[in-house]
Amino acid sequence: MVDIVLLFLTLAGQVRAKFTCKSDGHFGDENDCTKFYHCANGRAMGGFCPAGLLWNQATQQCDWPSMTDCDFTIEKAKQLQVESPTILYLTFDDGPNLGTTELLDALKAHNIRATFFINDDNLEITEKRNETQVLENANNLVRIVAEGHMVADHSYDHMKHNSDGPKDAYQDISNDISYFGPRNAAPALYLLKKAGFEEATINFVNYTLNYFVRMPYSNNWRVGLDNGRAISADCLECTVPASSSRKAVKIADVLAKEYGVQVFGWDMEWSMNFNTNRIKYGGTPMFMRLGTGAHSKQKGKIVLLCHDIAFRPHEITGSLSAQEELLEFLDLAKNAGYQFKTLDTYYMDEPQTQSV
């Protein structure tokens, strides 16, 4: 189903091969179902299957998981220890929303804290969002804070005042920038005060909601590090037309330079189908992708983008629900030695060598 020649030309060289070739040909990695090797003249060149596919040794190509005999276990994950200490920052966008309850249950089961980039218009009743859903969203926002997760700014309405998608998402710099910061923070803070949180907690949430931003549709970075090295990156292809992307870049500049905001993008994404709002592949393939060379902005740190709604109750390929796929991913990542943090400490974090 995937042209192995094209796949090889695209992906070869992305990994350093540590594979012993016994003959020429293509071979899968015994510990990583997303990895394969092309052996020629005794030399191995490594590559990775596209997102959602695994290596099928029988057909010598990348294939749908259901067509392969890949059986990746916790025991194998323990063998596949990360080569150097690595921090994984789980981030979830567009909540609180459908799926947030399932996310929180999974994170609580593993005692893992994550960063939630929220849109506070989820606390409003609309034609598409009834009172029951708004109440669940409000309860989940309270739960996010109560269970020690970080809350950050994803704009008040995900730029819906301009567009319900990446096309023309950014139109007027001065107006669009007003949807970040206090406008998005105020409803959340009001809710937390009504819920009886202590002043120190409310002050911290006020801080993170005003000074940590992810821009909708844009993988832009403006992060200043304590060691003097700054991260600045733009995604000019994230929104269309080009004028929208240029405005998004300008907004990132203003947020950082004039308001002192830390603008975070992402290093890797747990891809979802935006037509069905479902994850495209399960926990095991996502875990395997962590080792594919994410081009992380900081060595030893991976910021992973996910979306709350992709983990709402439903079935995906096979018998596992999206929540069960997340639980499997967390199992594998923890056993492989990944450390979990929230973005408020990104600048200061140093990956720690863990004792075996």
Side-chain angles (χ1 to χ4, degrees):
M1 61 169 290
V2 176
D3 189 321
I4 192 64
V5 176
L6 176 61
L7 179 67
F8 173 70
L9 290 175
T10 303
L11 298 173
Q14 289 188 5
V15 293
R16 291 185 311 232
K18 298 180 181 179
F19 184 80
T20 302
C21 294
K22 296 181 180 179
S23 62
D24 290 351
H26 296 94
F27 304 92
D29 188 293
E30 64 178 10
N31 289 318
D32 188 340
C33 302
T34 67
K35 188 185 298 183
F36 67 90
Y37 300 95
H38 171 71
C39 288
N41 300 319
R43 296 186 62 187
M45 293 289 290
F48 290 92
C49 293
L53 303 182
L54 303 178
W55 180 257
N56 187 333
Q57 188 59 41
T59 59
Q60 293 196 5
Q61 65 182 15
C62 293
D63 209 339
W64 299 116
S66 60
M67 301 298 293
T68 72
D69 60 355
C70 177
D71 180 22
F72 203 87
T73 64
I74 295 296
E75 287 68 31
K76 285 186 178 180
K78 291 178 180 178
Q79 297 172 14
L80 195 66
Q81 290 284 319
V82 288
E83 294 184 358
S84 59
T86 303
I87 299 173
L88 183 58
Y89 299 86
L90 291 176
T91 66
F92 297 95
D93 284 10
D94 306 350
N97 207 334
L98 296 170
T100 306
T101 299
E102 288 70 28
L103 283 178
L104 291 171
D105 289 345
L107 294 169
K108 185 175 183 179
H110 281 280
N111 193 29
I112 288 174
R113 295 167 60 240
T115 301
F116 287 81
F117 285 95
I118 67 169
N119 307 112
D120 267 356
D121 70 337
N122 289 319
L123 302 177
E124 287 186 357
I125 298 173
T126 66
E127 291 182 1
K128 297 182 179 180
R129 190 184 305 112
N130 60 31
E131 183 178 357
T132 300
Q133 183 59 51
V134 168
L135 180 60
E136 181 179 344
N137 291 346
N139 288 336
N140 276 330
L141 181 55
V142 169
R143 187 178 167 192
I144 286 170
V145 175
E147 294 181 5
H149 302 288
M150 176 183 167
V151 182
D153 185 7
H154 198 40
S155 82
Y156 176 76
D157 67 347
H158 209 275
M159 297 293 115
K160 289 189 180 72
H161 62 277
N162 287 333
S163 172
D164 199 16
K167 180 173 171 49
D168 290 315
Y170 297 93
Q171 297 181 18
D172 182 274
I173 293 173
S174 60
N175 182 53
D176 292 346
I177 204 168
S178 72
Y179 283 79
F180 295 94
R183 188 169 188 166
N184 193 34
L189 296 173
Y190 175 76
L191 175 63
L192 297 178
K193 289 177 182 177
K194 285 187 63 177
F197 281 91
E198 295 181 355
E199 184 177 357
T201 299
I202 293 174
N203 287 342
F204 182 72
V205 173
N206 185 39
Y207 161 66
T208 60
L209 268 175
N210 277 284
Y211 291 101
F212 295 86
V213 165
R214 173 172 288 156
M215 300 179 65
Y217 308 114
S218 292
N219 192 5
N220 295 334
W221 291 70
R222 299 290 188 278
V223 177
L225 300 177
D226 287 347
N227 58 16
R229 290 179 297 164
I231 299 174
S232 181
D234 299 319
C235 183
L236 294 175
E237 69 276 9
C238 283
T239 70
V240 291
S243 59
S244 177
S245 283
R246 288 195 294 269
K247 290 183 175 73
V249 169
K250 179 61 176 176
I251 290 172
D253 286 335
V254 173
L255 286 170
K257 295 176 182 178
E258 297 186 19
Y259 296 96
V261 169
Q262 305 292 324
V263 180
F264 278 90
W266 58 91
D267 297 312
M268 301 188 74
E269 180 177 1
W270 194 331
S271 299
M272 64 175 283
N273 184 328
F274 287 95
N275 292 320
T276 61
N277 289 327
R278 296 185 176 186
I279 52 176
K280 287 185 176 179
Y281 42 87
T284 297
M286 184 62 248
F287 163 73
M288 294 174 185
R289 308 214 104 63
L290 294 179
T292 62
H295 306 293
S296 298
K297 299 297 186 294
Q298 277 285 106
K299 183 179 179 182
K301 300 179 181 181
I302 299 174
V303 177
L304 177 62
L305 164 65
C306 311
H307 293 83
D308 293 42
I309 199 168
F311 296 90
R312 76 193 196 282
H314 59 68
E315 298 296 319
I316 62 170
T317 303
S319 60
L320 296 182
S321 69
Q323 184 194 47
E324 289 170 324
E325 295 289 1
L326 176 60
L327 286 166
E328 184 173 86
F329 168 79
L330 297 176
D331 266 334
L332 294 169
K334 286 180 71 174
N335 279 283
Y338 288 92
Q339 302 161 37
F340 294 86
K341 298 274 189 176
T342 52
L343 287 177
D344 54 306
T345 58
Y346 182 90
Y347 341 87
M348 301 167 285
D349 289 337
E350 292 294 337
Q352 301 296 314
T353 301
Q354 296 179 331
S355 58
V356 180

